[in-house]
Amino acid sequence: MDISGLGGKYLTFRLGSEEYGLGIMKIREIIGLMPITSVPQTPIFVKGVINLRGKVIPVIDLRLRFSMDEIPHDDRTCIIVLDISSVSSNLLIGIIVDSVSEVLNIRAEEIEETPAFGVKLNTGYILGMAKSGGGVKILLDIDQVLTEGEVCAISGL
């Protein structure tokens, strides 16, 4: 993967002790937790739907999508509303994260390719690893976090 064009602004957020980044152009807004209406027979990481100013949008818990333990939400927990694109559609969704950190301008030379973890681990949803402030931020390709089938299922909510 050519990572030379990945430099730019990223919204960083936390899940557990790890920091992640999302390209700022995908972000619509950041909102506090609000009542989520559960939808039966959805994958466990789909928490339900919210009514955001008259528009019903699906909400997923990124912790559960990444097979992390579910934790109680607190006052730092929030929903990032963003656009995802798939082969079949564009979709507005909310993702629940532990906390939002900041917007960083990450230069291309600060980004390294995703390390190889073996053939059995799919890392297609990781754009690269950003070296920033002595740590590493995992830059996500949010369009690849959900499979095509999952996007189709969620778009029907």
Side-chain angles (χ1 to χ4, degrees), residues 18-146:
E18 309 303 329
E19 277 209 270
Y20 296 83
L22 287 171
I24 199 77
M25 296 306 289
K26 289 285 190 180
I27 311 297
R28 287 281 191 92
E29 63 184 292
I30 301 164
I31 59 175
L33 276 181
M34 55 192 308
I36 299 173
T37 303
S38 298
V39 178
Q41 299 184 353
T42 56
I44 191 162
F45 61 88
V46 177
K47 299 308 282 183
V49 293
I50 59 173
N51 179 349
L52 185 63
R53 293 183 294 278
K55 184 162 181 63
V56 175
I57 64 171
V59 175
I60 69 169
D61 189 325
L62 209 51
R63 279 183 151 273
L64 300 179
R65 180 65 183 106
F66 289 164
S67 301
M68 300 169 80
D69 292 333
E70 189 170 14
I71 62 169
H73 297 152
D74 60 24
D75 60 344
R76 296 189 48 89
T77 307
C78 57
I79 298 173
I80 301 172
V81 179
L82 45 80
D83 289 308
I84 61 169
S85 303
S86 70
V87 173
S88 59
S89 64
N90 292 333
L91 183 65
L92 190 64
I93 68 166
I95 60 171
I96 299 173
V97 300
D98 292 354
S99 65
V100 170
S101 303
E102 61 187 328
V103 174
L104 290 177
N105 193 13
I106 300 175
R107 297 185 317 257
E109 57 269 18
E110 296 174 312
I111 301 172
E112 291 194 8
E113 288 188 35
T114 306
F117 292 102
V119 294
K120 290 188 174 181
L121 187 61
N122 176 16
T123 58
Y125 59 89
I126 300 175
L127 289 172
M129 302 289 178
K131 300 171 285 185
S132 175
V136 174
K137 296 177 184 3
I138 301 169
L139 304 180
L140 296 178
D141 182 352
I142 197 65
D143 295 335
Q144 302 298 316
V145 168
L146 300 175

